[in-house]
Amino acid sequence: MLETNSPCKITLNGQDYVLWQSASGEVSALNNVCPHMQAPLSNGWICEEWNTIICPFHAVEFDGSGRLLRNDEWSRVPLAEPLELIIDGDFIWTYGGFEPRLPIPDLHRKVASEYEFLGVTAQRSIQSDFLSSLMINYDHDHQNGTHREFFKVKSTRSTFLEKDGVYAKVSQVAEKDDYTSEEIEANPMLGAIPEVMNNFLEYVFPSTQFFCLNSPDVKTYQGHILYPETENMTKTFILLYAKFSNSELKSIMQDSLLNAASIVVQQDADCLESLYPRQKAKIHLPNEEIMFYAEELYKNWNHSLVV
């Protein structure tokens, strides 16, 4: 997702940052606010010779540690504020300047080593607080409503297979109606979904949900990523991995799989952005134990941050 020598703006916990990657693969990140006259550094450009980012306002430039370069000399101390990054293979993690309270999950590295990466999809900023956005990923009942037309789910049964702190593995059995030939022609991946789906999901609170869809033709791992941009905005995207029964299926199904994942996120986002303020539920559905587990983790995590 991070192109070479191209500034990339991210927002995390109400703060904007700029990331960039050199041709050699070195990744740097700074507070996006230029310390001169507060221009957004992400609107600037990269000097490949020095691996610096250049402010679009006055063309002053900074390296990845925040030092100013002027007349081929570096400032003795950083003037722009750097963001500490943790590079783990192809993944970039950060605690956003806060004290680490949870470890970097190794599930991403494990999936990436076993499955073929198909691409990134469903990049979106959702107008929703982080807890609401988080809980919909742990909600195993909303398929019957939110995704009813696309996936034609008739019933879902979900149970914990493993629960160890912030990690959980969930088994999901879902029954669906048949698709028409026209629907399969429009979305080839639908033809690979059996009438009874035996899926499982792996969660690493608070950032990650991997949804594994099993079928005779393809096995997909959909990595749903979440993080808070602001108090009422949540960023999401999907890292999609797969194994195909034969190489020809990839060319037929890759775009369809990416599109289907994007539709799921779009439907979830539309639902989240239409909700009224949260109140205590007066109705309970069969699979909510998994959602309550996430809510409890959030409450304990949030309390520890406040204290």
Side-chain angles (χ1 to χ4, degrees):
M1 297 168 64
L2 190 60
E3 298 178 8
T4 301
N5 292 317
S6 179
C8 175
K9 175 187 169 185
I10 66 166
T11 302
L12 180 64
N13 295 321
Q15 176 62 55
D16 291 342
Y17 300 96
V18 59
L19 279 69
W20 71 96
Q21 179 178 207
S22 69
S24 64
E26 180 183 357
V27 180
S28 305
L30 298 173
N31 187 317
N32 198 38
V33 181
C34 178
H36 175 220
M37 293 185 67
Q38 293 70 61
L41 293 175
S42 57
N43 288 352
W45 61 97
I46 304 301
C47 170
E48 297 183 33
E49 179 184 0
W50 294 100
N51 190 29
T52 52
I53 189 164
I54 302 176
C55 175
F57 202 173
H58 296 94
V60 293
E61 54 187 305
F62 305 90
D63 70 0
S65 65
R67 295 181 303 166
L68 173 69
L69 177 63
R70 179 184 292 175
N71 299 323
D72 293 339
E73 293 186 3
W74 297 101
S75 62
R76 286 182 292 178
V77 297
L79 300 180
E81 182 181 353
L83 174 67
E84 184 178 357
L85 303 175
I86 300 167
I87 310 300
D88 183 15
D90 289 334
F91 304 103
I92 304 168
W93 298 89
T94 182
Y95 288 101
F98 290 91
E99 177 187 350
R101 295 182 181 270
L102 298 173
I104 299 297
D106 61 4
L107 180 58
H108 291 262
R109 191 185 329 111
K110 177 177 179 290
V111 173
S113 68
E114 297 178 4
Y115 288 79
E116 182 178 2
F117 180 60
L118 298 188
V120 180
T121 189
Q123 297 186 61
R124 176 168 177 147
S125 295
I126 305 172
Q127 296 182 36
S128 171
D129 65 275
F130 185 68
L131 177 59
S132 297
S133 301
L134 176 76
M135 287 179 67
I136 202 169
N137 274 357
Y138 289 79
D139 181 355
H140 284 249
D141 292 300
H142 79 284
Q143 299 96 320
N144 304 340
T146 306
H147 307 307
R148 71 190 186 282
E149 293 183 6
F150 188 62
F151 285 111
K152 296 190 175 183
V153 175
K154 295 190 294 186
S155 66
T156 305
R157 302 186 306 278
S158 299
T159 55
F160 278 112
L161 295 177
E162 186 178 346
K163 187 165 54 172
D164 182 13
V166 297
Y167 173 81
K169 188 173 184 179
V170 174
S171 169
Q172 181 194 77
V173 179
E175 298 178 80
K176 70 168 189 64
D177 284 327
D178 292 333
Y179 296 111
T180 66
S181 57
E182 289 79 12
E183 288 171 327
I184 294 174
E185 183 179 357
N187 293 284
M189 62 82 56
L190 297 178
I193 301 177
E195 289 188 15
V196 178
M197 296 178 282
N198 291 283
N199 309 317
F200 66 86
L201 300 94
E202 291 185 88
Y203 296 96
V204 183
F205 175 89
S207 65
T208 301
Q209 175 220 69
F210 272 103
F211 173 72
C212 183
L213 170 67
N214 286 302
S215 80
D217 294 323
V218 61
K219 183 175 182 180
T220 67
Y221 254 92
Q222 298 179 26
H224 295 244
I225 313 302
L226 288 174
Y227 63 85
E229 290 189 304
T230 66
E231 186 175 354
N232 295 304
M233 294 290 290
T234 301
K235 182 73 172 185
T236 189
F237 55 88
I238 291 179
L239 304 173
L240 187 59
Y241 300 83
K243 287 180 180 179
F244 297 94
S245 60
N246 64 72
S247 57
E248 293 180 358
L249 280 175
K250 178 184 176 182
S251 61
I252 297 171
M253 298 182 64
Q254 180 170 356
D255 289 344
S256 179
L257 286 165
L258 289 165
N259 181 59
S262 182
I263 290 172
V264 169
V265 171
Q266 178 66 52
Q267 291 176 340
D268 283 346
D270 289 345
C271 178
L272 285 166
E273 293 179 346
S274 71
L275 295 178
Y276 289 104
R278 181 181 297 277
Q279 299 182 25
K280 185 176 180 179
K282 298 179 181 179
I283 302 168
H284 294 289
L285 300 176
N287 301 303
E288 291 189 340
E289 178 190 4
I290 299 159
M291 189 170 61
F292 294 151
Y293 154 81
E295 186 175 31
E296 189 64 24
L297 284 175
Y298 179 85
K299 289 178 180 177
N300 293 336
W301 176 56
N302 194 46
H303 176 72
S304 69
L305 292 176
V306 172
V307 173

